[in-house]
PDB file of all heavy atoms in Angstrom:
ATOM      1  N   GLY A  42     116.567 112.620 163.020  1.00 98.00           N
ATOM      2  CA  GLY A  42     116.371 111.897 164.261  1.00 98.00           C
ATOM      3  C   GLY A  42     115.586 110.620 164.099  1.00 98.00           C
ATOM      4  O   GLY A  42     115.279 110.187 162.997  1.00 98.00           O
ATOM      5  N   ASP A  43     115.275 110.063 165.280  1.00 98.00           N
ATOM      6  CA  ASP A  43     114.523 108.812 165.396  1.00 98.00           C
ATOM      7  C   ASP A  43     113.111 109.176 165.845  1.00 98.00           C
ATOM      8  O   ASP A  43     112.918 109.704 166.938  1.00 98.00           O
ATOM      9  CB  ASP A  43     115.234 107.938 166.432  1.00 98.00           C
ATOM     10  CG  ASP A  43     114.479 106.666 166.757  1.00 98.00           C
ATOM     11  OD1 ASP A  43     113.316 106.499 166.303  1.00 98.00           O
ATOM     12  OD2 ASP A  43     115.047 105.831 167.478  1.00 98.00           O
ATOM     13  N   ILE A  44     112.133 108.910 164.995  1.00 98.00           N
ATOM     14  CA  ILE A  44     110.769 109.373 165.254  1.00 98.00           C
ATOM     15  C   ILE A  44     110.157 108.740 166.513  1.00 98.00           C
ATOM     16  O   ILE A  44     109.276 109.331 167.137  1.00 98.00           O
ATOM     17  CB  ILE A  44     109.879 109.140 164.005  1.00 98.00           C
ATOM     18  CG1 ILE A  44     108.663 110.066 164.031  1.00 98.00           C
ATOM     19  CG2 ILE A  44     109.469 107.693 163.853  1.00 98.00           C
ATOM     20  CD1 ILE A  44     107.927 110.169 162.709  1.00 98.00           C
ATOM     21  N   THR A  45     110.655 107.576 166.902  1.00 98.00           N
ATOM     22  CA  THR A  45     110.079 106.914 168.083  1.00 98.00           C
ATOM     23  C   THR A  45     110.352 107.703 169.370  1.00 98.00           C
ATOM     24  O   THR A  45     109.740 107.450 170.389  1.00 98.00           O
ATOM     25  CB  THR A  45     110.619 105.479 168.270  1.00 98.00           C
ATOM     26  OG1 THR A  45     112.018 105.533 168.531  1.00 98.00           O
ATOM     27  CG2 THR A  45     110.352 104.629 167.039  1.00 98.00           C
ATOM     28  N   ALA A  55     104.906 104.669 158.651  1.00 98.00           N
ATOM     29  CA  ALA A  55     104.859 104.145 157.279  1.00 98.00           C
ATOM     30  C   ALA A  55     104.478 102.672 157.370  1.00 98.00           C
ATOM     31  O   ALA A  55     105.322 101.794 157.461  1.00 98.00           O
ATOM     32  CB  ALA A  55     106.220 104.319 156.601  1.00 98.00           C
ATOM     33  N   GLY A  64     109.390  95.961 158.839  1.00 93.00           N
ATOM     34  CA  GLY A  64     110.730  96.460 159.154  1.00 93.00           C
ATOM     35  C   GLY A  64     110.725  97.969 159.192  1.00 93.00           C
ATOM     36  O   GLY A  64     109.675  98.597 159.340  1.00 93.00           O
ATOM     37  N   GLY A  65     111.883  98.565 159.044  1.00 97.00           N
ATOM     38  CA  GLY A  65     112.004 100.018 158.952  1.00 97.00           C
ATOM     39  C   GLY A  65     111.370 100.739 160.120  1.00 97.00           C
ATOM     40  O   GLY A  65     111.400 100.282 161.265  1.00 97.00           O
ATOM     41  N   VAL A  66     110.777 101.857 159.808  1.00 98.00           N
ATOM     42  CA  VAL A  66     110.211 102.709 160.853  1.00 98.00           C
ATOM     43  C   VAL A  66     109.021 102.012 161.522  1.00 98.00           C
ATOM     44  O   VAL A  66     108.787 102.168 162.733  1.00 98.00           O
ATOM     45  CB  VAL A  66     109.859 104.100 160.270  1.00 98.00           C
ATOM     46  CG1 VAL A  66     108.678 104.076 159.327  1.00 98.00           C
ATOM     47  CG2 VAL A  66     109.649 105.118 161.378  1.00 98.00           C
ATOM     48  N   ASP A  67     108.291 101.218 160.768  1.00 98.00           N
ATOM     49  CA  ASP A  67     107.152 100.463 161.306  1.00 98.00           C
ATOM     50  C   ASP A  67     107.606  99.539 162.443  1.00 98.00           C
ATOM     51  O   ASP A  67     107.035  99.540 163.544  1.00 98.00           O
ATOM     52  CB  ASP A  67     106.551  99.655 160.136  1.00 98.00           C
ATOM     53  CG  ASP A  67     105.158  99.117 160.410  1.00 98.00           C
ATOM     54  OD1 ASP A  67     104.577  99.441 161.465  1.00 98.00           O
ATOM     55  OD2 ASP A  67     104.645  98.368 159.556  1.00 98.00           O
ATOM     56  N   ALA A  69     110.340  99.738 164.161  1.00 98.00           N
ATOM     57  CA  ALA A  69     110.885 100.541 165.262  1.00 98.00           C
ATOM     58  C   ALA A  69     109.749 101.079 166.141  1.00 98.00           C
ATOM     59  O   ALA A  69     109.849 101.081 167.381  1.00 98.00           O
ATOM     60  CB  ALA A  69     111.728 101.689 164.709  1.00 98.00           C
ATOM     61  N   PRO A 151     107.691 110.476 159.310  1.00 99.00           N
ATOM     62  CA  PRO A 151     108.921 109.978 158.691  1.00 99.00           C
ATOM     63  C   PRO A 151     108.818 110.218 157.190  1.00 99.00           C
ATOM     64  O   PRO A 151     107.800 110.734 156.704  1.00 99.00           O
ATOM     65  CB  PRO A 151     108.858 108.475 159.002  1.00 99.00           C
ATOM     66  CG  PRO A 151     107.391 108.161 158.914  1.00 99.00           C
ATOM     67  CD  PRO A 151     106.651 109.423 159.402  1.00 99.00           C
ATOM     68  N   SER A 152     109.816 109.830 156.458  1.00 99.00           N
ATOM     69  CA  SER A 152     109.769 109.929 154.996  1.00 99.00           C
ATOM     70  C   SER A 152     109.074 108.673 154.461  1.00 99.00           C
ATOM     71  O   SER A 152     109.703 107.645 154.249  1.00 99.00           O
ATOM     72  CB  SER A 152     111.193 110.047 154.448  1.00 99.00           C
ATOM     73  OG  SER A 152     111.153 110.074 153.041  1.00 99.00           O
ATOM     74  N   ILE A 153     107.768 108.795 154.243  1.00 98.00           N
ATOM     75  CA  ILE A 153     106.957 107.642 153.847  1.00 98.00           C
ATOM     76  C   ILE A 153     107.362 107.157 152.443  1.00 98.00           C
ATOM     77  O   ILE A 153     107.607 107.982 151.548  1.00 98.00           O
ATOM     78  CB  ILE A 153     105.462 108.045 153.887  1.00 98.00           C
ATOM     79  CG1 ILE A 153     105.062 108.343 155.337  1.00 98.00           C
ATOM     80  CG2 ILE A 153     104.564 106.963 153.289  1.00 98.00           C
ATOM     81  CD1 ILE A 153     103.799 109.151 155.465  1.00 98.00           C
ATOM     82  N   SER A 154     107.424 105.852 152.295  1.00 98.00           N
ATOM     83  CA  SER A 154     107.673 105.144 151.018  1.00 98.00           C
ATOM     84  C   SER A 154     109.113 105.141 150.527  1.00 98.00           C
ATOM     85  O   SER A 154     109.405 104.488 149.521  1.00 98.00           O
ATOM     86  CB  SER A 154     106.782 105.671 149.880  1.00 98.00           C
ATOM     87  OG  SER A 154     105.474 105.145 149.957  1.00 98.00           O
ATOM     88  N   THR A 155     110.015 105.870 151.186  1.00 98.00           N
ATOM     89  CA  THR A 155     111.368 105.978 150.609  1.00 98.00           C
ATOM     90  C   THR A 155     112.358 104.942 151.149  1.00 98.00           C
ATOM     91  O   THR A 155     113.551 105.011 150.843  1.00 98.00           O
ATOM     92  CB  THR A 155     111.955 107.393 150.805  1.00 98.00           C
ATOM     93  OG1 THR A 155     112.133 107.636 152.201  1.00 98.00           O
ATOM     94  CG2 THR A 155     111.053 108.451 150.208  1.00 98.00           C
ATOM     95  N   GLY A 156     111.855 103.995 151.952  1.00 98.00           N
ATOM     96  CA  GLY A 156     112.716 102.908 152.414  1.00 98.00           C
ATOM     97  C   GLY A 156     112.484 101.684 151.549  1.00 98.00           C
ATOM     98  O   GLY A 156     112.752 101.699 150.340  1.00 98.00           O
ATOM     99  N   VAL A 157     111.928 100.655 152.165  1.00 97.00           N
ATOM    100  CA  VAL A 157     111.645  99.388 151.482  1.00 97.00           C
ATOM    101  C   VAL A 157     110.735  99.602 150.257  1.00 97.00           C
ATOM    102  O   VAL A 157     110.869  98.894 149.259  1.00 97.00           O
ATOM    103  CB  VAL A 157     110.991  98.401 152.473  1.00 97.00           C
ATOM    104  CG1 VAL A 157     110.529  97.125 151.768  1.00 97.00           C
ATOM    105  CG2 VAL A 157     111.951  98.050 153.589  1.00 97.00           C
ATOM    106  N   TYR A 158     109.840 100.573 150.303  1.00 98.00           N
ATOM    107  CA  TYR A 158     108.894 100.783 149.204  1.00 98.00           C
ATOM    108  C   TYR A 158     109.526 101.479 147.997  1.00 98.00           C
ATOM    109  O   TYR A 158     108.889 101.598 146.950  1.00 98.00           O
ATOM    110  CB  TYR A 158     107.646 101.535 149.687  1.00 98.00           C
ATOM    111  CG  TYR A 158     106.634 100.640 150.394  1.00 98.00           C
ATOM    112  CD1 TYR A 158     106.917  99.309 150.684  1.00 98.00           C
ATOM    113  CD2 TYR A 158     105.379 101.123 150.772  1.00 98.00           C
ATOM    114  CE1 TYR A 158     106.004  98.486 151.327  1.00 98.00           C
ATOM    115  CE2 TYR A 158     104.447 100.307 151.413  1.00 98.00           C
ATOM    116  CZ  TYR A 158     104.770  98.991 151.694  1.00 98.00           C
ATOM    117  OH  TYR A 158     103.841  98.191 152.326  1.00 98.00           O
ATOM    118  N   GLY A 159     110.766 101.973 148.132  1.00 98.00           N
ATOM    119  CA  GLY A 159     111.578 102.320 146.979  1.00 98.00           C
ATOM    120  C   GLY A 159     111.282 103.626 146.255  1.00 98.00           C
ATOM    121  O   GLY A 159     111.787 103.852 145.150  1.00 98.00           O
ATOM    122  N   VAL A 189     110.739 114.046 160.675  1.00 98.00           N
ATOM    123  CA  VAL A 189     111.866 113.498 161.431  1.00 98.00           C
ATOM    124  C   VAL A 189     112.568 112.487 160.537  1.00 98.00           C
ATOM    125  O   VAL A 189     112.055 111.400 160.260  1.00 98.00           O
ATOM    126  CB  VAL A 189     111.377 112.855 162.741  1.00 98.00           C
ATOM    127  CG1 VAL A 189     112.555 112.283 163.514  1.00 98.00           C
ATOM    128  CG2 VAL A 189     110.641 113.894 163.581  1.00 98.00           C
ATOM    129  N   LEU A 190     113.745 112.900 160.062  1.00 98.00           N
ATOM    130  CA  LEU A 190     114.413 112.173 158.980  1.00 98.00           C
ATOM    131  C   LEU A 190     115.625 111.450 159.537  1.00 98.00           C
ATOM    132  O   LEU A 190     116.387 111.999 160.329  1.00 98.00           O
ATOM    133  CB  LEU A 190     114.755 113.169 157.869  1.00 98.00           C
ATOM    134  CG  LEU A 190     113.459 113.937 157.454  1.00 98.00           C
ATOM    135  CD1 LEU A 190     113.765 115.221 156.725  1.00 98.00           C
ATOM    136  CD2 LEU A 190     112.526 113.028 156.680  1.00 98.00           C
ATOM    137  N   PHE A 191     115.742 110.210 159.149  1.00 98.00           N
ATOM    138  CA  PHE A 191     116.605 109.257 159.841  1.00 98.00           C
ATOM    139  C   PHE A 191     118.062 109.318 159.422  1.00 98.00           C
ATOM    140  O   PHE A 191     118.939 108.889 160.156  1.00 98.00           O
ATOM    141  CB  PHE A 191     116.047 107.855 159.576  1.00 98.00           C
ATOM    142  CG  PHE A 191     116.372 106.847 160.623  1.00 98.00           C
ATOM    143  CD1 PHE A 191     116.195 107.131 161.968  1.00 98.00           C
ATOM    144  CD2 PHE A 191     116.842 105.578 160.276  1.00 98.00           C
ATOM    145  CE1 PHE A 191     116.483 106.184 162.942  1.00 98.00           C
ATOM    146  CE2 PHE A 191     117.122 104.632 161.242  1.00 98.00           C
ATOM    147  CZ  PHE A 191     116.939 104.935 162.581  1.00 98.00           C
ATOM    148  N   ASP A 192     118.337 109.800 158.218  1.00 98.00           N
ATOM    149  CA  ASP A 192     119.727 109.782 157.736  1.00 98.00           C
ATOM    150  C   ASP A 192     120.010 111.063 156.945  1.00 98.00           C
ATOM    151  O   ASP A 192     119.089 111.778 156.546  1.00 98.00           O
ATOM    152  CB  ASP A 192     119.986 108.545 156.871  1.00 98.00           C
ATOM    153  CG  ASP A 192     119.028 108.464 155.717  1.00 98.00           C
ATOM    154  OD1 ASP A 192     119.251 109.169 154.714  1.00 98.00           O
ATOM    155  OD2 ASP A 192     118.018 107.732 155.810  1.00 98.00           O
ATOM    156  N   THR A 195     118.409 111.508 153.338  1.00 98.00           N
ATOM    157  CA  THR A 195     116.976 111.831 153.392  1.00 98.00           C
ATOM    158  C   THR A 195     116.780 113.262 153.886  1.00 98.00           C
ATOM    159  O   THR A 195     116.006 114.035 153.295  1.00 98.00           O
ATOM    160  CB  THR A 195     116.250 110.826 154.313  1.00 98.00           C
ATOM    161  OG1 THR A 195     116.550 109.507 153.869  1.00 98.00           O
ATOM    162  CG2 THR A 195     114.744 111.044 154.277  1.00 98.00           C
TER     163      THR A 195
HETATM  164  P1  ADP B 308     108.435 102.362 153.488  1.00 76.39           P
HETATM  165  O1  ADP B 308     108.059 100.903 153.547  1.00 76.39           O
HETATM  166  O2  ADP B 308     107.211 103.257 153.474  1.00 76.39           O
HETATM  167  O3  ADP B 308     109.413 102.662 152.421  1.00 76.39           O
HETATM  168  P2  ADP B 308     110.530 102.344 155.579  1.00 76.39           P
HETATM  169  O4  ADP B 308     110.294 102.207 157.032  1.00 76.39           O
HETATM  170  O5  ADP B 308     111.214 101.209 154.884  1.00 76.39           O
HETATM  171  O6  ADP B 308     109.079 102.658 154.922  1.00 76.39           O
HETATM  172  O7  ADP B 308     111.351 103.665 155.295  1.00 76.39           O
HETATM  173  C1  ADP B 308     110.817 104.956 155.357  1.00 76.39           C
HETATM  174  C2  ADP B 308     111.855 105.918 155.911  1.00 76.39           C
HETATM  175  O8  ADP B 308     111.875 105.808 157.333  1.00 76.39           O
HETATM  176  C3  ADP B 308     113.289 105.680 155.453  1.00 76.39           C
HETATM  177  O9  ADP B 308     113.873 106.943 155.140  1.00 76.39           O
HETATM  178  C4  ADP B 308     113.961 105.089 156.698  1.00 76.39           C
HETATM  179  O10 ADP B 308     115.330 105.408 156.753  1.00 76.39           O
HETATM  180  C5  ADP B 308     113.205 105.838 157.769  1.00 76.39           C
HETATM  181  N1  ADP B 308     113.278 105.309 159.147  1.00 76.39           N
HETATM  182  C6  ADP B 308     113.599 104.074 159.575  1.00 76.39           C
HETATM  183  N2  ADP B 308     113.568 104.014 160.931  1.00 76.39           N
HETATM  184  C7  ADP B 308     113.227 105.265 161.358  1.00 76.39           C
HETATM  185  C8  ADP B 308     113.047 105.872 162.634  1.00 76.39           C
HETATM  186  N3  ADP B 308     113.202 105.191 163.769  1.00 76.39           N
HETATM  187  N4  ADP B 308     112.705 107.214 162.676  1.00 76.39           N
HETATM  188  C9  ADP B 308     112.531 107.915 161.544  1.00 76.39           C
HETATM  189  N5  ADP B 308     112.683 107.398 160.316  1.00 76.39           N
HETATM  190  C10 ADP B 308     113.033 106.089 160.221  1.00 76.39           C
END
Side-chain angles (χ1 to χ4, degrees):
D43 174 352
I44 202 165
T45 64
V66 70
D67 196 6
S152 177
I153 294 162
S154 281
T155 65
V157 173
Y158 280 7
V189 180
L190 306 161
F191 206 48
D192 56 80
T195 306

